């Protein structure tokens, strides 16, 4: 044992090199003078030293092996030939560690996780969220004056008191060298389950192209494709609730192309079923063609190290047939109607972020705003009457978030809607459907404070003064937690 | 459909200005400045290198900014640390960049930590331990022996990705290695007085540095990796340092100096800022001076009163 130890040191000295710090003569002499009466502390110190030498020696040997391989490659004349696949193969074997090669260098902890039947399990992440809600007015009577929405639309502050928010289960993995797949399954507090997203995405198209198919949140606007656990407030802006049904997700295909420029310049196109608001198919039989078409472009970049921005323009076109909508008048009476036609939503969005020297860990600031404009063209029927209608409605929000200390953020949001002119060819339709007469502008102001103990947990306090209903001021208080378990997800800008 | 026409016109306009200008040099995007500097040494004018982050940014917490997506899109090779250091942002860039060459498993995706022996590999993977990395501590760039190992693998990768210049890369590597071995001999002399010195770390980002220099870490200011130092934990560290005196408290250029300064004021400990990567100090201009400057600062900490 001792002999082996000394020869080991001899080898490290012979290899010449930075290991001399570990292979000092003192180490050799202390090892050589080991007596039977040695103290246990000294034994452990010796063991540590041996371990240090061994690990250093292994690292050095690895480096030497690699250098040998490089030298061998340099000798091979074929290695200089780019077209030679046979030459590229051994280099690739050296350069790109496979899972099995990595196992040999890693310790048991990570090695074990890669072996066995579960080696190819997708990355799993789980979002836990719950909220306490206190509202001055009954949420059941919530409506946005002048905006007709499907009965299933998730608008307003939700349930009063303690309630579980959506629990999101996310899975994603590479499918093969050309595709990856991901899904987000949403478990609702009423024990219902819905598939929020489930898509396959290309990874190998190249030239800036990415294709997606399945169910996904549309890339229109800024906030639309952000999952709820990445929102800066408990709820989505009123403009999204009133004009996009909170968040526009669809079943379809998406193609995106990124320009080969220094400036971030992205173009996207989508075709979908149009299954959700502002689209909708009340008949349920579907249609062969696309019920939704969307086009968008986003540009973005940096200004110095501290500033970054992104801005975009989008258009979403959705078809509706036999779409049941509802709204409430100022007395709280529900008014149901059926819409057949097209809805076109224009969106413009921008976000600007600041962090000192680009280091957002301690302090940072974000300013974000979007403007949405929706034009309906079609036929509305109410109580047996059917009339041609054209309507333009719009909404905007502006919000800013400041992180003033590590983990602590403060945010403000202000927003307003315009129910617009309802150019209806009849006076027979009820007042709330032709809300132009009142000219009421629903609006809301929110303030929030949140704390994140780590990247994976967040507690939020939010207060909102909601004037979405004409003549009603609703003060809303939210206390929310959001937890992220499992795989470390990468967040979008 | 007029909107479609405008869209297509926009596409062709962008392509007309950008698609034609093909660059001769290999476009390399490094995730951190040290890999940009190393690639520059190994590639010279054969490569057009930039770094996605600076020495003043926390490499764990980078935003998947539009500018970075655009740079990943245009890269022929990305040179990153790996070992989950970039897990919070690089996957988002790769998914949106539409660049098949740099996806994980492709020759254009290089992870330096794959080629060195990693320390601090957790035996227990649980977030109650803070922001632990399953593959081990990712801050491998603080040990020049790791840089030497990565240089070998990176040269092989440059030869593979830019096969037309393979011979030049080997030549440049030979020159680099000669200089690196000479430098390591010089640093070994400079490092000798530091051996056995007890230190406190602000973040557990220096294990490789300590292993190289033989420094002994007696405490860490962060209660758990990636968790900001708390007042109660700092008191604990102060008690530890009183029982087991430490000479220096070490923090990286991108970190908030206040916790280290606090300890320095309240205990007889010198606060030493190390560049941590290229650009972290005025002295750390390239991959060589990074280590010169680090050793100069540590030695200054050792002798200062």
């Amino acid at each position: 044992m001792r002999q082996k130890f000394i020869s080991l040191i001899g080898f490290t000295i012979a290899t010449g090199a930075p290991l001399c710090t570990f292979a000092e003569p003192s180490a050799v002499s202390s090892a050589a003078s080991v007596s039977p009466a040695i103290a246990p502390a000294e034994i452990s110190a010796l063991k540590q030293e041996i371990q240090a030498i061994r690990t250093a020696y292994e690292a050095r040997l690895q480096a030497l092996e690699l250098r040998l391989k490089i030298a061998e490659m340099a000798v091979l004349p074929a290695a200089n030939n780019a077209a030679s696949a046979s030459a590229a193969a051994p280099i690739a074997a050296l350069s790109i560690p496979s899972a099995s090669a990595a196992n040999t260098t890693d310790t048991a902890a990570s090695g074990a996780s890669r072996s066995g039947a579960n080696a190819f399990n997708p990355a799993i992440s789980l979002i836990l969220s719950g909220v306490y809600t206190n509202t001055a007015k009954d949420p059941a009577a919530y409506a946005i004056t002048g905006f007709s929405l499907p009965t299933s639309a998730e608008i307003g502050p939700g349930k009063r008191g303690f309630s579980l928010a959506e629990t999101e289960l996310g899975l994603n993995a590479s499918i093969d060298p050309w595709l990856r797949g991901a899904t987000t399954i949403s478990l609702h507090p009423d024990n219902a389950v819905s598939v929020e997203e489930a898509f396959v995405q290309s990874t190998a198209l190249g030239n800036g192209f990415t294709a997606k198919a399945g169910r996904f949140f549309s890339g229109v606007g800024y906030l639309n494709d952000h999952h709820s656990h990445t929102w800066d407030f408990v709820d989505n802006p009123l403009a999204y609730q009133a004009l996009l049904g909170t968040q526009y997700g669809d079943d379809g295909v998406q193609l995106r192309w990124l320009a080969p420029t220094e400036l971030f310049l992205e173009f996207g196109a989508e075709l979908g079923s149009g299954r959700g608001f502002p689209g909708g198919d009340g008949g349920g039989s579907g249609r062969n063609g696309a019920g939704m078409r969307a086009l968008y472009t986003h540009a973005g970049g940096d200004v110095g190290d501290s500033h970054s921005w992104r801005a975009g323009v989008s258009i979403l076109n959705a078809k509706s047939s036999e779409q049941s909508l509802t709204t409430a008048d100022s007395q709280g009476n529900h008014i149901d109607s059926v819409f057949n036609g097209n809805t076109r939503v224009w969106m413009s969005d921008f976000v600007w972020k600041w962090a000192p020297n680009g280091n957002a860990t301690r302090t940072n600031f974000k300013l974000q705003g979007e403007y949405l404009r929706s034009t309906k063209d079609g036929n509305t029927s109410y109580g047996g009457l059917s009339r041609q209608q054209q309507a333009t409605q719009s909404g905007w929000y502006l919000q800013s978030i400041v992180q003033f200390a590590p983990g602590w953020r403060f945010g403000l949001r202000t927003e307003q809607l315009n129910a617009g002119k309802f150019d209806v060819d009849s006076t027979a339709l009820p007042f709330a459907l032709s809300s132009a007469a009142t000219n009421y502008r629903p609006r809301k102001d929110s303030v929030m404070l949140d704390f994140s103990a780590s990247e994976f947990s967040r507690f939020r306090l939010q207060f909102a003064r909601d004037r979405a209903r004409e003549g009603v001021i609703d003060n809303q208080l939210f206390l929310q937690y959001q937890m992220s378990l499992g795989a470390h997800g990468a967040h979008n800008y | 459909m007029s909107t479609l026409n405008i869209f297509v016109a926009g596409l062709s306009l962008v392509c007309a200005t950008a698609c034609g200008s093909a660059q001769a040099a290999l476009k390399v995007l490094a995730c951190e400045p040290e890999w940009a500097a190393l690639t520059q040494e190994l590639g010279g004018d054969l490569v057009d290198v930039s770094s996605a982050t600076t020495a003043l940014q926390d490499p764990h917490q980078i935003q998947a900014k539009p500018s970075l997506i655009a740079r990943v899109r245009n890269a022929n090779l990305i040179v990153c640390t790996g070992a989950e250091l970039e897990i919070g942002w690089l996957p988002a860039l790769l998914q949106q960049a539409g660049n098949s060459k740099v996806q994980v498993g492709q020759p254009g995706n290089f992870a330096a930590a794959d080629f060195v022996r990693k320390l601090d590999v957790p035996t227990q993977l649980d977030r109650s331990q803070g922001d632990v990395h399953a593959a081990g501590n990712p801050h491998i760039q603080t040990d020049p022996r790791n840089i030497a190992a990565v240089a070998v693998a990176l040269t092989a990768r440059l030869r593979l990705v830019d096969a037309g210049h393979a011979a030049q890369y080997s030549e440049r590597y030979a020159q680099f290695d000669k200089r690196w071995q000479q430098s390591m001999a010089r640093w070994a002399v400079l490092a000798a007085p530091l051996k056995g010195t007890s230190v406190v770390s602000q973040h557990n980002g220096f294990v490789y540095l300590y292993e190289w220099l033989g420094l002994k870490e007696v405490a860490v200011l962060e209660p758990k990796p990636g968790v900001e130092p708390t007042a109660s934990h700092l008191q604990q560290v102060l008690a530890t340092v009183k029982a087991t005196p430490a000479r220096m408290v070490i923090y990286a250029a991108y970190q908030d100096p206040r916790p280290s300064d606090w300890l320095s004021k309240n205990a007889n400990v010198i606060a030493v800022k190390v560049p941590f990567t290229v650009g972290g100090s005025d002295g750390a201009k390239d991959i060589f001076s990074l280590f010169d400057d680090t050793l100069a600062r540590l030695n200054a900490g050792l002798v200062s009163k």
Side-chain angles (χ1 to χ4, degrees), chain A residues 9 13 16 27 37 52 69 83 102 115 149 159 183 194 205 266 268 343 366 374 378 417 434 480:
Chain A
I9 292 169
I13 291 169
K69 281 185 183 158
S115 63
L149 292 165
K159 259 179 69 182
T183 184
S194 68
L205 285 183
E266 176 196 65
T343 306
K366 173 160 77 165
S374 162
L417 298 179
S434 55
Q480 184 193 31

Side-chain angles (χ1 to χ4, degrees), chain A residues 74-244:
Chain A
V75 176
L76 281 174
N80 288 337
N81 185 354
S84 170
S86 59
I91 306 170
L94 164 71
S95 315
I96 306 158
S98 63
S100 60
N103 263 344
T104 58
T105 52
D106 283 1
T107 66
S110 53
S113 67
R114 285 183 197 153
S115 63
N118 60 359
F120 290 102
N121 276 359
I124 300 170
S125 66
L126 184 69
I127 307 293
L128 299 180
S129 181
V131 62
Y132 168 78
T133 308
N134 185 313
T135 65
K137 300 285 185 287
D138 184 3
Y142 193 85
I144 304 174
T145 301
F147 290 83
S148 288
L149 292 165
T151 42
S152 60
E154 290 173 5
I155 59 166
K159 259 179 69 182
R160 275 170 155 172
F162 292 101
S163 63
L164 193 66
E166 273 179 8
T167 304
E168 278 181 12
L169 180 65
L171 295 101
N172 79 86
S174 298
I175 295 165
D176 57 26
W178 307 282
L179 295 169
R180 73 179 273 271
T183 184
T184 309
I185 295 160
S186 187
L187 311 167
H188 300 274
D190 59 359
N191 297 331
V193 176
S194 68
V195 178
E196 203 161 74
E197 286 196 294
F199 60 82
V200 292
Q201 189 180 21
S202 69
T203 58
L205 285 183
N207 296 315
F209 285 101
T210 308
K212 214 186 229 188
R215 175 172 296 181
F216 52 85
F217 288 129
S218 169
V220 295
Y222 173 71
L223 210 47
N224 192 66
D225 61 2
H226 283 61
H227 282 257
S228 56
H229 71 271
T230 63
W231 296 351
D232 293 319
F233 291 86
V234 173
D235 44 6
N236 236 3
L238 282 181
Y240 269 77
Q241 296 187 14
L243 301 174
L244 284 178

Side-chain angles (χ1 to χ4, degrees), chain B residues 42-190:
Chain B
L42 296 173
D45 49 15
L46 299 174
V47 293
D48 174 9
V49 196
S50 69
S51 174
T53 61
T54 74
L56 299 180
Q57 296 168 356
D58 182 347
H60 304 89
Q61 294 183 31
I62 300 296
Q63 292 251 346
K65 296 189 291 185
S67 62
L68 296 182
I69 299 171
R71 284 157 78 185
V72 171
R73 187 252 185 260
N74 296 323
N76 300 112
L77 171 68
I78 58 169
V79 180
C80 295
T81 300
E84 299 179 4
L85 179 64
E86 300 97 353
I87 197 166
W89 49 283
L90 187 58
L93 299 181
L94 292 174
Q95 278 163 30
Q96 295 175 75
N99 184 347
S100 53
K101 288 177 282 192
V102 299
Q103 298 295 324
V104 174
Q106 295 299 315
N109 184 306
F110 180 88
D114 287 346
F115 303 95
V116 303
R117 185 182 50 85
K118 284 175 284 299
L119 302 173
D120 275 359
V121 180
T123 49
Q124 184 202 6
L125 267 185
D126 193 291
R127 293 246 167 83
S128 65
Q129 303 308 307
D131 191 14
V132 291
H133 298 273
N137 193 307
H139 306 294
I140 59 168
Q141 83 283 5
T142 54
D143 182 344
R145 297 169 300 179
N146 286 343
I147 302 288
V150 172
V152 177
L154 185 54
T155 301
R157 191 62 64 90
L158 287 166
R159 287 169 50 93
L160 177 66
V161 176
D162 187 14
H165 297 111
Q168 281 119 296
Y169 287 117
S170 290
E171 265 169 45
R172 292 197 66 96
Y173 171 75
Q175 288 161 14
F176 170 81
D177 190 50
K178 196 174 159 201
R179 279 181 69 203
W180 198 252
Q181 297 304 332
Q182 286 165 354
S183 299
M184 289 222 286
R186 183 174 79 245
W187 294 328
V189 176
L190 289 170

